[in-house]
Amino acid sequence: MKIDPDNPADLSAQIAGAIRDAIMSGALIVGDRLPSEAELAEQFAVSRPTVREALKRLAAQSLIRTQRGAFGGAFIHRLSYRDAHAQQITTSTLLLGMNDVSFDTACEARFAMERACAMLAALRRSPDHLATMRAEITRQGQPGLTDEAFCASDVAFHRALVDAAGNPVLSYQLAGAVEAMQPLMNMITFSARSRGAIIALHSRIADAAQARDGALIIAALEELEHDTRQLAQSVFNARAARPKPA
Amino acid sequence: MKIDPDNPADLSAQIAGAIRDAIMSGALIVGDRLPSEAELAEQFAVSRPTVREALKRLAAQSLIRTQRGAFGGAFIHRLSYRDAHAQQITTSTLLLGMNDVSFDTACEARFAMERACAMLAALRRSPDHLATMRAEITRQGQPGLTDEAFCASDVAFHRALVDAAGNPVLSYQLAGAVEAMQPLMNMITFSARSRGAIIALHSRIADAAQARDGALIIAALEELEHDTRQLAQSVFNARAARPKPA
DNA sequence: GAGTTTTAAATGTCTGACAAATGAAAATCG
DNA sequence: CGATTTTCATTTGTCAGACATTTAAAACTC
């Protein structure tokens, strides 16, 4: 964490990078206090606004937290699962939304990863997880539920399944895959019949989790993936066949 | 994307959040140009440095890119797989490094996700993927290879396996899980014997991929997970029994 | 000794300014 | 007239200095 070449372009990015490297290499550890903005400005031979821009970059990635007042400053922040979660969802959502990722590709990735949780979920699911899954199934069956609310409940159900695996790293990684799909799922209109099919599969998953039968969860997830992709295709086909009248 | 309450705390964070929401909701799409810093300052009734801090936050997340000069400015940036990849690795590495995540937990999550790619990899692997895997296996057998280089080659091998699944979303999600493990793996010293066992399993995986046998890949990955966790445990036990002499 | 006040240090923000880059329009030249 | 060069306005990048606000430690009072 020393120098910037006298290349006067992107000074704040260079400084942010230097500090980020120091954090990732372990030279700076959680709780450490960075020098004050004035000291950093002197150290890097730049002005205070430039230092501040660098610090804001780091703050945007939850690498530091700042505190005002005497003996305040910028402190290395412990990246919580919560923060990592939020960043993961933001990044995944944008990646899917901006890159014309096909529904099939996203769906395939999501269910592949979710099936990876099935065995562990069967092994470790708690009564709490089961209760959450049952509650969401009940909600999904309520009449008058909007498509958006149905999707939100679907996400909550699958989150419960993922969390049941009892591995926070897995939960964090899956958060992006499951939640980033929601904008894509919201483009689908769910008929009463397709809702019924989904709910039935959710019930089979919950039953299998209760019976601690991982293979059964996987089988149900495979059916769910198949149904979802077919439903999406039929919706998109119908939409393509009838171009918007405008 | 309108207002900030007259709460004069974290103005730049509020502005960044407002613009981020506008991007994620689709109100701003890729290629759109934001108003100039001066215009944004007037719109939000703040000074230009405050606007700049907000823009730097967004730039840190690769949401915008800036261009100097006339008709330059801040443009909504298409989040590429490459950018998302890099962010994913940064976040995952820090999450594992800062939170005392046990080796077992990280290892379990990683192999669970990797097994999720096995079936697709068997189906879609190209000769290129096989060649990469074989090349890394060869490198891993070379004498005099440092532990660090061995780990790097191990990561490259597993990346090839993940990429063989032919799903860019899956590759992006797995990048964090696989690469973030490297600092943890680097803490292990690999004996010649354990290297041999790992290489043998890698060969079995490559063979299975060549034969398009997904179940065999999964079986080898399960053995690899078991061996890796056992190896790590023995290393850590030995280290705990003989506290550092200092 | 407990409670209050003072004070110094640090971030948050603003104003004003200049440098550098950049593309478009205008001016110039063949 | 066409091609090239020059000019120029716009915008980001950076700097300097200043003031407001927050905060916790230190000094002070009773």
Side-chain angles (χ1 to χ4, degrees):
Chain A
M1 179 170 149
K2 298 287 162 52
I3 46 173
D4 312 319
D6 31 31
N7 166 21
D10 282 329
L11 279 179
S12 73
Q14 288 179 43
I15 294 171
I19 298 177
R20 178 164 37 239
D21 289 346
I23 296 174
M24 292 192 67
S25 76
L28 294 171
I29 60 177
V30 170
D32 278 1
R33 180 180 170 282
L34 289 176
S36 73
E37 294 175 355
E39 286 174 290
L40 285 173
E42 192 177 8
Q43 219 173 331
F44 287 109
V46 298
S47 67
R48 195 160 84 91
T50 302
V51 167
R52 281 183 62 78
E53 287 176 10
L55 294 181
K56 294 312 172 194
R57 288 176 189 263
L58 299 175
Q61 295 181 303
S62 303
L63 291 184
I64 60 172
R65 100 196 126 76
T66 57
Q67 193 174 347
R68 305 228 305 210
F71 294 78
F75 297 84
I76 310 298
H77 179 242
R78 159 165 282 128
L79 188 66
S80 65
Y81 282 103
R82 210 185 125 81
D83 291 334
H85 233 82
Q87 285 188 19
Q88 169 80 351
I89 291 170
T90 301
T91 302
S92 297
T93 303
L94 288 169
L95 184 68
L96 294 191
M98 285 179 168
N99 283 277
D100 303 319
V101 175
S102 76
F103 187 89
D104 268 358
T105 301
C107 204
E108 176 179 280
R110 175 218 154 144
F111 276 101
M113 293 176 64
E114 196 166 341
R115 283 195 296 271
C117 304
M119 286 299 182
L120 294 170
L123 192 66
R124 301 193 190 138
R125 97 289 183 283
S126 74
D128 264 5
H129 297 127
L130 285 178
T132 302
M133 291 164 72
R134 301 286 188 197
E136 295 300 336
I137 291 174
T138 302
R139 177 172 307 158
Q140 288 156 23
Q142 281 175 352
L145 201 67
T146 65
D147 277 341
E148 202 163 324
F150 182 78
C151 281
S153 173
D154 182 79
V155 168
F157 174 87
H158 287 280
R159 267 198 62 120
L161 177 63
V162 170
D163 288 341
N167 185 315
V169 176
L170 211 45
S171 291
Y172 144 70
Q173 297 280 9
L174 264 289
V178 174
E179 306 221 5
M181 284 284 296
Q182 198 163 8
L184 298 181
M185 298 288 286
N186 274 333
M187 295 169 61
I188 297 178
T189 43
F190 294 93
S191 67
R193 195 165 135 272
S194 52
R195 282 197 194 185
I198 292 171
I199 293 170
L201 283 167
H202 284 177
S203 292
R204 275 176 53 190
I205 291 172
D207 291 345
Q210 186 155 10
R212 299 196 184 279
D213 189 333
L216 226 55
I217 298 180
I218 290 178
L221 283 173
E222 276 170 357
E223 272 191 59
L224 193 53
E225 177 183 354
H226 177 263
D227 287 5
T228 303
R229 288 168 78 165
Q230 204 153 49
L231 177 62
Q233 192 154 24
S234 70
V235 168
F236 293 148
N237 282 347
R239 215 164 280 175
R242 176 170 40 80
K244 64 174 178 188
Chain B
M1 178 169 152
K2 298 289 162 51
I3 46 171
D4 314 318
D6 31 29
N7 167 21
D10 283 328
L11 279 179
S12 73
Q14 286 179 44
I15 294 171
I19 298 177
R20 186 180 305 116
D21 289 346
I23 296 174
M24 293 192 67
S25 76
L28 294 171
I29 60 176
V30 170
D32 277 1
R33 180 179 171 281
L34 290 176
S36 73
E37 294 175 353
E39 286 174 291
L40 286 173
E42 193 177 9
Q43 253 182 55
F44 287 110
V46 298
S47 67
R48 195 160 83 93
T50 301
V51 167
R52 281 183 63 78
E53 288 176 9
L55 294 181
K56 293 313 171 193
R57 294 176 114 108
L58 299 175
Q61 296 182 303
S62 303
L63 291 184
I64 60 172
R65 103 195 123 75
T66 58
Q67 194 174 346
R68 305 227 301 210
F71 294 79
F75 298 85
I76 310 300
H77 179 240
R78 158 165 282 129
L79 188 65
S80 66
Y81 281 103
R82 208 185 128 81
D83 291 335
H85 234 80
Q87 285 188 19
Q88 170 81 350
I89 291 171
T90 300
T91 303
S92 297
T93 303
L94 288 169
L95 184 67
L96 294 191
M98 285 182 168
N99 284 277
D100 304 317
V101 174
S102 77
F103 187 89
D104 268 359
T105 302
C107 204
E108 175 178 281
R110 175 219 153 141
F111 277 101
M113 292 175 66
E114 197 167 340
R115 283 196 295 272
C117 303
M119 285 299 181
L120 294 171
L123 192 66
R124 301 192 190 139
R125 97 287 183 286
S126 74
D128 264 5
H129 297 127
L130 285 178
T132 302
M133 291 164 74
R134 301 286 188 197
E136 296 300 338
I137 290 173
T138 302
R139 176 173 306 158
Q140 288 156 24
Q142 281 174 353
L145 201 68
T146 64
D147 277 342
E148 202 163 324
F150 183 80
C151 280
S153 173
D154 183 79
V155 168
F157 174 88
H158 286 280
R159 264 198 62 120
L161 177 63
V162 170
D163 288 341
N167 185 315
V169 176
L170 210 46
S171 292
Y172 145 70
Q173 297 279 7
L174 264 289
V178 174
E179 307 222 5
M181 284 284 297
Q182 199 161 7
L184 298 181
M185 299 288 287
N186 275 332
M187 296 170 60
I188 298 179
T189 44
F190 294 93
S191 67
R193 195 165 134 273
S194 52
R195 282 197 195 187
I198 291 171
I199 292 171
L201 283 168
H202 283 176
S203 292
R204 274 175 53 191
I205 291 172
D207 291 344
Q210 187 155 9
R212 300 196 182 278
D213 188 334
L216 225 56
I217 298 180
I218 289 178
L221 283 173
E222 275 169 357
E223 271 191 60
L224 192 54
E225 178 183 353
H226 177 263
D227 286 7
T228 303
R229 289 169 76 164
Q230 202 153 51
L231 177 62
Q233 192 155 24
S234 69
V235 168
F236 294 148
N237 282 346
R239 214 164 279 175
R242 174 172 39 80
K244 62 174 179 188

